[in-house]
Amino acid sequence: MSDASLPHIEDLTIARLVGPLSHSRGRAYAENGNVGDLEWDPATQTLRGEVRGTAPAPYRVTVKLLGANTGRITVRTAMCTCPVGINCKHAAAVLHASTARRRAADAANVSAEAAADAVRVAAAVATRRGRGRVAWARCSPRPHRRG
């Protein structure tokens, strides 16, 4: 699964789901790399992940979303194997990690597209120069010499 296919969940949506304290703790878990691999099933709109917490084994989180196909995402349920069980900081961590990985994948795609555009422009300029034409990419004309 590509990170570009992961859902992007708004910060406010996560905060409303778990509350302010679990929201900030979940964000810290995600930023510190406590979230392992994420699995996204677009057919069932289910996001799964594992979060390393205080227990020896990682907690397993399953989040069911609504509206992932339309872009207006809401969380239907967020279940975890931790003692809290639902709407916990581990669920927030999985949601934050999904959003962060999606943003990183989107940024990488934009960077790759920009690099490809730069290569195309450079090739076009080189081709035009090779035919003895003035390159259209020149920003300013050369100064005229007075004689």
Side-chain angles (χ1 to χ4, degrees):
M1 172 194 64
S2 164
D3 284 350
S5 68
L6 289 170
H8 177 279
I9 300 94
E10 294 293 326
D11 211 42
L12 186 58
T13 300
I14 300 170
R16 284 180 178 161
L17 174 72
V18 300
L21 185 59
S22 291
H23 177 256
S24 63
R25 287 181 178 172
R27 179 192 303 275
Y29 271 45
E31 289 173 350
N32 292 333
N34 289 24
V35 180
D37 290 337
L38 297 175
E39 297 175 22
W40 169 241
D41 182 355
T44 61
Q45 296 190 48
T46 303
L47 179 65
R48 290 184 177 86
E50 289 188 346
V51 180
R52 287 179 303 283
T54 55
Y59 296 117
R60 291 184 309 282
V61 177
T62 301
V63 182
K64 296 201 180 263
L65 303 173
L66 291 174
N69 302 333
T70 64
R72 293 195 44 89
I73 298 176
T74 58
V75 179
R76 202 170 79 201
T77 61
M79 298 174 290
C80 182
T81 58
C82 75
V84 175
I86 60 168
N87 303 344
C88 62
K89 64 185 175 187
H90 307 106
V94 164
L95 294 169
H96 280 296
S98 175
T99 299
R101 292 177 191 180
R102 170 67 181 265
R103 284 183 180 151
D106 289 348
N109 288 340
V110 168
S111 295
E113 289 173 13
D117 286 346
V119 168
R120 282 192 290 277
V121 168
V125 169
T127 301
R128 287 180 156 260
R129 285 187 177 153
R131 288 187 267 183
R133 295 185 179 155
V134 175
W136 56 268
R138 191 174 354 188
C139 295
S140 61
R142 293 183 185 190
H144 294 290
R145 295 175 81 169
R146 294 188 181 241

